[in-house]
Amino acid sequence: MARGNGSRRRAMIALAALLTAAAPAATQAPGGLAVLARMEPGLWTLKDRDGARPLPSICIAQDRGMLMQIQHGSAACTRLVIAQDAKSATVHYTCPGAGFGRTSLRLETPRLARIDSQGIHDGAPFAFRAEARRAGPCPRGGGRRPAR
């Protein structure tokens, strides 16, 4: 009987080790996503693919994950990676007191991406499809630039 309990215990330890090893991949910060690493840093202009609203330009240098939460800007949000591969990623994020969203990004080239995002921002729903293009280097001071 003791032998059966030892096998069960080893199996539980192996399962716990496997789950521990897999957890970082499921909660990896978008700044570490393979698709974001392939994007060129710099100033990125955003164009609403439906033409419904203006979107800001974004300077991405260190935190390329900002492209995954455009509507919530630089708010401190928690992010959960839903799916990813070398050319795309889908992330769900939650911003305490400000809302949440789900964004999918598909990289066409290191200078062109398609972004689909939807969620709740300050109590109101939002949804947009955007084209993101690298426009050049970030201006001094970096950060977001107003929509035109």
Side-chain angles (χ1 to χ4, degrees):
M1 239 183 188
R3 188 171 198 194
N5 287 339
S7 295
R8 182 178 296 157
R9 182 171 182 199
R10 281 193 300 273
M12 294 300 281
I13 290 171
L15 179 60
L18 179 64
L19 291 174
T20 301
T27 59
Q28 181 179 13
L33 290 172
V35 69
L36 295 179
R38 295 182 61 222
M39 298 178 78
E40 290 185 20
L43 181 66
W44 285 71
T45 57
L46 303 173
K47 179 181 176 186
D48 187 333
R49 289 177 23 207
D50 297 324
R53 64 192 206 139
L55 294 170
S57 294
I58 297 177
C59 176
I60 58 167
Q62 288 81 21
D63 186 10
R64 295 178 183 158
M66 285 180 61
L67 285 171
M68 301 306 282
Q69 62 180 61
I70 294 168
Q71 189 67 33
H72 290 88
S74 59
C77 306
T78 58
R79 301 169 182 160
L80 174 64
V81 177
I82 305 297
Q84 69 167 317
D85 59 34
K87 290 192 153 205
S88 64
T90 299
V91 171
H92 180 276
Y93 63 91
T94 302
C95 310
F100 60 89
R102 179 181 175 123
T103 300
S104 294
L105 182 142
R106 175 152 183 81
L107 190 64
E108 303 294 335
T109 73
R111 298 173 145 244
L112 174 66
R114 309 268 183 225
I115 300 171
D116 292 317
S117 189
Q118 62 184 353
I120 302 292
H121 181 254
D122 290 336
F126 71 88
F128 63 86
R129 297 178 325 132
E131 176 182 276
R133 283 189 184 272
R134 186 179 184 278
C138 293
R140 291 184 187 191
R144 296 172 77 102
R145 297 177 76 181
R148 296 176 203 178

